[in-house]
Each structure stands twice: as structure tokens, then as C-alpha cells.
Amino acid sequence: MNPFHKTYGTDYLKEPLPIAILLSMTITCAHLTATKGLVVGMAIIILPIAIVYLGVLFAKPKLGILTIFVLNFTILGLARYVSMTWGLLIDGLLFLMYLALFFKAFKIKIPWSRARSQLSLLVTIWFGYALFQAVNPEAASFEAWFYAMRGLALYQWMIVPLLFIIFNKPKDLKLFLIIWGIMSLLGTLKGCQQLFFGVDPFEQKWLDNGGALTHVLFGKLRIFSFYSDAGQFGASQGHAGVVFGVLALFAKSKKFRVFCIVVSLAGLYGMLISGTRGAIAVPAAGGIMFLILRKNIPILIAGAIMGIGVYVFFAHTTIMNNNAQVRRMRTAFDPNDASLQVRLANQRKLKTYLASRPFGGGIGSTGNWGQRFTPHTFLANTATDSWFVAIWADTGVVGLYLHLFILFFVLITGAYNVMFKIKDPWLKGQIAALVCGMFGIMGASYGNGVFGQFPTCILMYTGMVFMFIAPKMDKKIMTEKAGQSNETVLKKLGNLSPA
């Protein structure tokens, strides 16, 4: 066909009707932006893109999973630029993915049975306990329960089955790790911009409106990047440092190994500049778990010596004390630190208060939700400073024990699979990295409330799913390797046969 006879998109602009439509849309968008504000103008521009996105999402629900992986890093930080409830986007995406699977079920058989797992049962039990908390007589606000329950149990309950069903292949695991690595790298780069060039006007406004109370200490900025706060940034970057550090040891591809090394070093640097003392527990606990998984006594001894060296550096020396980040990290090793003493005093108060409340004070009673909905209550005015202490205060000793049982069951299952069931070296390395990262976050969650916040919660839930499906993935990989090996042998025999 003669290319000059084809009709291209720009040819339509030669006609008056398309030009009139385009001009009308431009004028309308400009008018609404000028009169109603930037948000309305942006909404009009985004609307056609959103319609196309929804069409693709219903055809390929996996797109929603990938979108969540990207969004969960930036979604809370976006509130500094556009004031809206960004967290509801995650709720909406999860709902739309289930809706897409429901409609696809009319044409193809959806493998719902893939979600039949011990993990699915555990998250359902935890979600059921969270629903029970809605009628906790100690709870002072149903609204607080509704908002806080989403991050505590709802997201986990909704995303885990979806991952089992539509995101369960070795290539999916690698894609997840690549997205994680890229977003973590961007997070550190954004943090470096704040450290060396200062914050932008929107971030400065956030600091002026109260953020500076916890993010400017002794005249030094605690770096928060595009995350919700410095605590989450530090723990998340430490998480990436551990996971990608372990991956670098097992990676077969030279390019991917270099990528993992860069992400790991950038993550550990991001953790350092965040000024989050509790984040140091992530590489510490993650390193201990890695030594256990290796089942190698010499390596275990070498790791113990290294760990002792790090402890001595921070706790018993003043080396690099002129560096603000190192100086702040060093206070995490001081048992007489004023902040630590305040935390211990608050825990003693909570112990007395919760002694007669085995189911806690109700989900959403503490922290920001407590301050927002029930600012007059004891729990709202008692800082928890810890994910596990917050679980204890909100759901009681019953909820805390249940939560810890679920976490350790998942962790031990993942570790057992790495040590005794998975044969493929690369898959073993990937799952080992996720197990080490999970234990690291569990360690950091004692000092900070990082476990249930974005992006850590989504990363943890995804890692949990792959820990459970790894044995099936391993069997498939080993079967494929055996088939390729047999095919190679047959080809060699065929070449040796006489003509």
C-alpha cells in the first residue's frame, strides 16, 4: 500500500469538526481550572486516561497489582502536594480487581483454588478479629475503627488472595523486586535532594504545619523523601538494603547483581540520612536471620564478630561523632537515652490500663487516629511509638498474641522452606532475602510503627505470599530443568548415532 494514501491521526486536524471539538475541550478545561482550581482542571485531563486504564485493568487485573506496587511508595507523600484521601485509591484498586475477576469468570475459569492456603486462613482470622473489634465496648469511635482497620487488616485480607491467584510466577517475583528496587532508589535520590538542596515549597509547608516538631531536631532535618515520614523512610530503606544485599549474593545475572548492589547501598544510605534510630534494627535482625538460614558455622561466627564490632562502634566509641546522622544513630544504643525512658514509662502506664481490658481499647484508639477522632481519651494521649505496642493498646493482649503468632508462623514457614524445601539456588536466594527483610522489619517495629504503613505493609504481604508458594514454584522450576537436561542428552545421543 502506498504510505501517502494512509490516513494518520494528524490528518483529522485538517477537518473543522475535530478542531472545533479539541478547541472546545481546551477552553473548557482552561475555564474550569481558572474558576474551580487546579484539582478540577487536572481531573478533566486525567479522566480520559482513567477510562482507558480501567478498560485495560478489567482485561488484565494484574495491572492493578503493579499499580499498587508503585503507588504504595508515594501515596502518603502525595498528600503534601494535593490534599485528598489518597489511601482510598488502594481500596478502590483492590475492589476493582475483584470486580474484574468476577466479570472475567463469565468467560474463563478463575483459579480461586490457588488462594486456598494457610496464609489466607491466617489473614482471614486476623481480619475476623478486626471486625470483632467494631463492637468492642471500650472503643470510643466507630469512625476511628473504620479508618484504622483498613491498614491493620483489610488490605492484607484483600491483597493476599489476589496475589495467590494472579501474581504467582517466578517472573512475577522478579518484576516485583525490580519495581521495589527502582522505587527505593528513587526514594534515596529524593532524600539526597532534600539533604543537599533543601525541601520544596510543599514540603516546607508540611514542616511548618507541624512536621518540623519531629523532623527538625537540633537544627538538622530528618530526611523523609516522598514517604509519609522519616521513620517510615528509614525503615523502608533499611528493608531494601537487607533484601537487595542478600539478592546480590545469589543473583546469576551480572547486570541484576550490579542493580541489587546499587539498591542495597542506596537503601542503607537512605536509612542513615533519615535519622531514624530504630531503623538500624532492620539490617541487624535481617543479618542475624541470614546467618541462621545459611546453616554455616564459620559464617555464623564471622557474622557474630561483625555484629559485635558494629555494637562496639556505636555504643562504646565516639568515632564519627561530628556526623549528625551517626551521632543520632548512636543514641539508639544508649540505655539512659531520654526518649527510651519516656517510651518505657508510657508502656508501664499502658500495662496498668490494659490489665483489665484483654481486648484493648479498640482499633484506632491510639496514634493519629486517636488524636483525630477521640482526642479526649487516655489512649489517644499516650504515645505508643511502636507497632507492637499499638497493637497491644488497640486490640489487647489477645490481639497482640494472635498477631505475633501469625507473624512468626509466616516467618518460620518461609525460613523452613529456604533451609529444607527449595532446591533451585536463585529461588532460594530470593525467598531468603524476603525472609531476612521480614525479620528485619519485625525488629524495627518494636521501636517504630512501620509494619502497617505504606509501603512496608504491601511489600511484607507480597513477600509472605511468595514464601508460601515458593515450594510449588521450585517443583515447577526443577521439572523444567530436568526436562531441558533430558532434551540435551537426547540431542547429544542423536549426534553420536551413525549416519
Side-chain angles (χ1 to χ4, degrees):
M1 183 182 292
N2 190 331
F4 294 101
H5 292 165
K6 290 183 180 179
T7 301
Y8 296 93
T10 53
D11 293 333
Y12 289 105
L13 296 179
K14 298 176 182 178
E15 303 295 328
L17 183 59
I19 293 178
I21 293 173
L22 185 62
L23 187 61
S24 300
M25 291 174 62
T26 305
I27 294 172
T28 302
C29 183
H31 174 70
L32 289 173
T33 302
T35 57
K36 302 295 183 180
L38 182 62
V39 175
V40 175
M42 289 177 60
I44 295 173
I45 296 172
I46 292 172
L47 184 61
I49 301 173
I51 293 172
V52 174
Y53 174 86
L54 287 175
V56 178
L57 176 66
F58 272 78
K60 297 183 177 180
K62 187 182 289 188
L63 175 64
I65 296 288
L66 300 179
T67 305
I68 288 175
F69 287 158
V70 174
L71 271 181
N72 85 112
F73 280 89
T74 59
I75 200 162
L76 296 181
L78 286 173
R80 299 187 188 105
Y81 300 89
V82 180
S83 181
M84 63 175 284
T85 311
W86 286 97
L88 292 176
L89 276 178
I90 302 295
D91 303 59
L93 281 169
L94 291 170
F95 172 76
L96 286 173
M97 280 186 279
Y98 276 104
L99 193 62
L101 290 178
F102 172 77
F103 283 112
K104 286 179 76 68
F106 288 102
K107 289 186 176 181
I108 62 173
K109 184 178 180 181
I110 303 298
W112 301 105
S113 60
R114 290 179 184 172
R116 194 179 300 146
S117 163
Q118 292 173 323
L119 180 60
S120 298
L121 176 61
L122 290 172
V123 299
T124 301
I125 292 171
W126 179 243
F127 180 65
Y129 185 77
L131 291 179
F132 162 75
Q133 284 286 325
V135 296
N136 185 342
E138 295 292 334
S141 170
F142 179 80
E143 283 184 290
W145 169 85
F146 174 76
Y147 281 100
M149 179 272 301
R150 290 156 55 234
L152 187 72
L154 179 63
Y155 294 149
Q156 183 183 38
W157 182 67
M158 293 187 73
I159 200 169
V160 163
L162 284 173
L163 292 167
F164 274 118
I165 295 168
I166 61 177
F167 203 80
N168 51 31
K169 298 179 177 62
K171 64 178 182 180
D172 295 330
L173 174 56
K174 187 171 183 179
L175 181 58
F176 162 65
L177 293 171
I178 290 172
I179 294 173
W180 183 355
I182 291 173
M183 295 306 297
S184 294
L185 192 57
L186 292 175
T188 294
L189 290 175
K190 172 63 176 173
C192 289
Q193 174 251 301
Q194 293 174 342
L195 178 64
F196 297 114
F197 303 103
V199 297
D200 63 39
F202 297 96
E203 294 164 340
Q204 185 61 55
K205 183 179 178 181
W206 177 75
L207 290 170
D208 295 338
N209 289 338
L213 292 175
T214 53
H215 286 77
V216 180
L217 302 178
F218 307 106
K220 295 289 184 179
L221 177 69
R222 292 179 62 203
I223 304 303
F224 51 89
S225 187
F226 46 67
Y227 293 70
S228 60
D229 55 74
Q232 185 58 233
F233 173 60
S236 183
Q237 293 303 88
H239 192 193
V242 169
V243 170
F244 285 87
V246 175
L247 287 173
L249 300 175
F250 291 89
K252 295 181 289 185
S253 165
K254 186 177 180 180
K255 289 183 179 179
F256 192 70
R257 181 182 293 112
V258 171
F259 171 74
C260 290
I261 292 172
V262 171
V263 173
S264 179
L265 294 176
L268 295 174
Y269 180 70
M271 180 193 73
L272 184 65
I273 64 177
S274 73
T276 305
R277 296 172 297 179
I280 201 169
V282 183
I288 291 171
M289 177 55 69
F290 177 72
L291 296 176
I292 294 171
L293 295 178
R294 292 296 289 171
K295 298 186 295 181
N296 189 307
I297 298 300
I299 292 179
L300 188 62
I301 293 172
I305 294 172
M306 185 181 296
I308 293 171
V310 171
Y311 170 77
V312 170
F313 170 78
F314 281 108
H316 299 287
T317 74
T318 57
I319 300 171
M320 294 182 66
N321 233 25
N322 59 327
N323 184 288
Q325 284 79 26
V326 173
R327 190 165 60 248
R328 178 161 174 78
M329 285 290 181
R330 184 161 276 136
T331 62
F333 295 83
D334 181 7
N336 299 313
D337 180 63
S339 176
L340 174 62
Q341 295 305 314
V342 171
R343 293 185 182 208
L344 294 176
N346 286 334
Q347 289 177 25
R348 286 192 292 269
K349 293 178 185 177
L350 288 170
K351 184 178 180 180
T352 302
Y353 181 83
L354 296 169
S356 60
R357 296 170 175 85
F359 300 111
I363 292 176
S365 298
T366 59
N368 293 331
W369 298 121
Q371 285 291 323
R372 176 177 172 182
F373 293 105
T374 56
H376 58 282
T377 61
F378 168 78
L379 289 178
N381 291 284
T382 304
T384 55
D385 299 309
S386 161
W387 173 254
F388 296 122
V389 174
I391 292 289
W392 176 37
D394 281 3
T395 66
V397 67
V398 175
L400 178 61
Y401 285 161
L402 176 60
H403 186 62
L404 290 173
F405 170 78
I406 291 171
L407 292 184
F408 277 103
F409 184 90
V410 173
L411 183 74
I412 292 170
T413 299
Y416 177 80
N417 288 340
V418 170
M419 296 171 74
F420 303 109
K421 297 190 75 172
I422 302 173
K423 306 300 180 185
D424 180 69
W426 174 224
L427 181 61
K428 184 190 288 284
Q430 289 173 295
I431 304 304
L434 296 175
V435 171
C436 294
M438 179 179 177
F439 191 57
I441 288 295
M442 288 172 63
S445 293
Y446 177 74
N448 298 93
V450 297
F451 192 101
Q453 296 183 35
F454 295 122
T456 300
C457 62
I458 299 297
L459 300 176
M460 293 288 282
Y461 304 154
T462 307
M464 290 177 182
V465 170
F466 281 108
M467 289 179 205
F468 274 77
I469 62 177
K472 290 184 179 178
M473 293 169 60
D474 183 65
K475 287 181 181 178
K476 187 174 181 181
I477 292 171
M478 298 308 291
T479 301
E480 290 175 354
K481 283 185 175 181
Q484 292 172 357
S485 178
N486 291 337
E487 186 177 343
T488 303
V489 171
L490 290 173
K491 283 183 178 179
K492 288 181 177 179
L493 290 174
N495 294 333
L496 292 173
S497 61

